[in-house]
Amino acid sequence: MHVVITGTNRGIGQELEHRYRVLGHDVTGTSRQGALPNQLDVTDPVSHARFAQHLNGKPIDLLICNAGVFVDKGQQLADGFPPEMWAKTFETNVTGVFLTIQSLLPNLQAATKPMIAIISSRLGSQELASGGRGYIYRASKAAVINLGRHLSADLQPSGVAVGIYHPGWVRTEMGGDDGDIDVATSAKGLIETFSTLSLDTTGCFLDYQGQTVPF
């Protein structure tokens, strides 16, 4: 199976890349700071075009859209969350996911049973909204849930399954030291959960343990 993962320079993406390699899969990991030919800035159409050209039509069995940012940590409602912070977050967490899928769609459609896994967060759930920190991050994750749902409907007729996933509150640079689980636990669970994705379950929103997360 050929697996393409964005954002593999650290955290969950790095662990997913390692585990898929250990399992014997053909893995292409990308990062914004990486070296060519696998360097990919998910916000840059030119970078997407270059990366797609490098793959040269090679089928992708599983695309994991993992690259993301959380830049509004510590911002206060009274005077924080500046417009440029909103723009940067949505550019990566939402537009970046769309551009990745758009540019690699021919590669996905060349596979037998292609799958797309979008890493979101339960913090983007409308039903679980509880207020608190990270307004921008939460809004971007809500938007990418919506994006994933619409893509699942549009891509199902062409045989591409789309799943949306909450990786857990993970102890990483992004998640912080107070997270519930480590990256190994999250990645192991995600890989098992990704394996259940099919056209019958497309549009699902699951956590790393395979449990349904409310939209």
Side-chain angles (χ1 to χ4, degrees):
M1 180 168 71
H2 181 209
V3 184
V4 173
I5 311 169
T6 64
T8 59
N9 56 305
R10 63 184 181 185
I12 298 169
Q14 187 177 70
E15 184 69 15
L16 285 169
E17 180 180 24
H18 168 71
R19 287 179 174 266
Y20 273 114
R21 290 192 190 280
V22 169
L23 290 169
H25 296 293
D26 178 12
V27 185
T28 303
T30 77
S31 69
R32 183 166 54 88
Q33 301 88 358
L36 294 173
N38 292 343
Q39 185 272 344
L40 177 63
D41 179 348
V42 298
T43 70
D44 181 7
V46 174
S47 183
H48 279 291
R50 182 176 60 232
F51 179 64
Q53 184 177 29
H54 162 65
L55 290 181
N56 193 30
K58 182 177 180 179
I60 297 174
D61 301 286
L62 173 60
L63 171 62
I64 303 174
C65 296
N66 167 74
V69 296
F70 186 176
V71 299
D72 56 318
K73 290 181 183 179
Q75 294 289 303
Q76 301 300 315
L77 181 57
D79 58 2
F81 306 100
E84 59 269 20
M85 201 171 277
W86 286 88
K88 179 179 179 179
T89 301
F90 273 74
E91 183 181 41
T92 301
N93 293 1
V94 186
T95 308
V97 172
F98 180 81
L99 292 177
T100 301
I101 294 169
Q102 183 181 54
S103 66
L104 298 179
L105 190 56
N107 304 75
L108 286 158
Q109 292 174 329
T112 303
K113 294 182 179 180
M115 299 174 289
I116 299 170
I118 298 173
I119 302 299
S120 182
S121 172
R122 72 193 302 274
L123 292 177
S125 168
Q126 305 289 344
E127 188 172 327
L128 299 178
S130 59
R133 66 190 181 98
Y135 283 100
I136 302 175
Y137 180 78
R138 289 173 184 261
S140 73
K141 290 304 184 181
V144 87
I145 292 168
N146 182 276
L147 174 64
R149 291 283 287 175
H150 283 287
L151 286 171
S152 70
D154 286 337
L155 294 179
Q156 186 176 29
S158 63
V160 182
V162 181
I164 309 152
Y165 300 92
H166 167 58
W169 184 11
V170 188
R171 293 188 292 275
T172 61
E173 181 179 333
M174 181 183 291
D177 296 331
D178 295 328
D180 297 326
I181 58 174
D182 58 21
V183 289
T185 301
S186 175
K188 180 177 183 294
L190 286 172
I191 288 171
E192 292 173 355
T193 304
F194 295 162
S195 70
T196 68
L197 180 60
S198 70
L199 291 176
D200 292 330
T201 61
T202 192
C204 61
F205 185 19
L206 306 176
D207 68 13
Y208 71 100
Q209 296 176 306
Q211 301 299 307
T212 298
V213 181
F215 292 104

